[in-house]
Each structure stands twice: as structure tokens, then as C-alpha cells.
Amino acid sequence: MVALAYPDLSNLKAKGAGLRLVVYPLGALAVPVWWWLRGRRRQARGFPWAADLLVTLPWLSDLTGNRLNFFDTVTWWDDVSHFAHWLLLTAGVLLAWHPGRRIGAGVVVMVALGFGATAALVWELGEYEAFLRDLPTYAYVYPDTLGDLTLGTSGSLLAGVLVALGRRSRPPAHP
């Protein structure tokens, strides 16, 4: 949180630090809040630790990547981050959203694509609003945004396939 509060010290200057200061903690709290609101006492399973870890890791990774200046010094870091972050986030959401009834792998993959593509679009719109539209190199930004959306959606697709395959290998849970 210190890195977000002091953007000059964390390579976040002019990269939407104020918006990240609000969004990152909310993202990290999404699974605990969802679990609490959903009625934690009614759930047969305990707290979804794996889902919470998967949803929290992208926020931590992005902050760490910025702190270590990887986004500005490692040419491939942004692309790998978009793919990996949406893979982790989507897998976490899929694991947290665990309906009591068995659903098909195709539905899991479609939900992953729907969530991942929407979340990637919202992220890119946030980046644009926070800092990209003021860049003098705007001609570079548009192709980067399209690439980021493609990579984020691809990561979500892979998360859907992996979660669907993982669900097939285990017997269905009985609520």
C-alpha cells in the first residue's frame, strides 16, 4: 500500500496510482467479501483459499512489476502480465463461483471467456482513463491495448479450460 500511496517511490508516477490505490485493495478483498455476503455459515465448504490467492496474485504481481520497473525495462513483461494476470484472476473467480449443481465444461469455458473479456475491457478502459490518453506516444497505445485485450482474453480462455478439466477429474461435490 505504501507503493500506491507514494507513486514517485514505486515507479507508478503518471500510471494511475490514485486509481490503483482504490482498485487494488478492492480486488484483493473481492473473494472474502463475496464469501461473507454469500452466507459463510451456509456453505459446506470452508473459505475458498485457492480462489482468494488466485484473485489476489494479479494485484500483487502488477504492483511488484511496477515497483521493480519491469513494465518500463523488460519488453515482454506487459504482455506476459496481461496473459498471466487474467489467467489467475479468471481461475480464481471460477473457483470462487462454485454452483452446487454440476455444470458442463463448455459452460465453464464460456463463463471464463465472458468474465475475462469483460474484465480485460474494463481494465483497459481504466488504464486509458487513468494515464494512457495523455501519452505523447498515443500511436503506440492503441495496438498495445488491442494486444492486451487479446492476451487477457486468451488467459481467461486457458483458465476456463484448466478449471473445466480440473472439475472433470474430481467427483462432483454434494452441497
Side-chain angles (χ1 to χ4, degrees):
M1 298 311 292
V2 173
L4 292 172
Y6 298 98
D8 291 349
L9 302 176
S10 59
N11 298 314
L12 285 172
K13 187 175 183 178
K15 292 185 179 179
L19 189 58
R20 290 173 194 238
L21 186 59
V22 173
V23 172
Y24 284 26
L26 290 175
L29 288 171
V31 172
V33 168
W34 169 85
W35 181 74
W36 185 77
L37 289 174
R38 190 165 178 244
R40 62 189 184 278
R41 290 189 262 320
R42 293 181 299 150
Q43 296 179 22
R45 301 178 318 152
F47 183 77
W49 292 105
D52 188 38
L53 178 65
L54 290 168
V55 168
T56 303
L57 279 175
W59 310 109
L60 177 62
S61 172
D62 184 76
L63 187 58
T64 303
N66 274 296
R67 177 67 185 102
L68 298 175
N69 205 27
F70 288 167
F71 285 96
D72 294 328
T73 60
V74 180
T75 57
W76 49 265
W77 186 260
D78 183 62
D79 291 339
V80 169
S81 291
H82 278 275
F83 182 84
H85 291 166
W86 296 121
L87 186 149
L88 294 168
L89 184 64
T90 301
V93 167
L94 290 172
L95 291 177
W97 171 75
H98 186 272
R101 65 188 192 290
R102 182 107 168 120
I103 60 173
V107 174
V108 172
V109 172
M110 286 190 293
V111 168
L113 278 171
F115 169 79
T118 302
L121 176 61
V122 168
W123 179 263
E124 289 303 318
L125 290 171
E127 274 190 351
Y128 175 79
E129 183 60 35
F131 62 92
L132 292 178
R133 68 179 168 162
D134 297 327
L135 287 178
T137 57
Y138 186 74
Y140 168 74
V141 172
Y142 184 67
D144 179 65
T145 298
L146 291 176
D148 291 348
L149 289 171
T150 301
L151 289 165
T153 303
S154 299
S156 296
L157 174 62
L158 181 58
V161 169
L162 292 174
V163 170
L165 290 173
R167 289 177 62 138
R168 285 184 131 180
S169 67
R170 289 184 311 217
H174 297 287

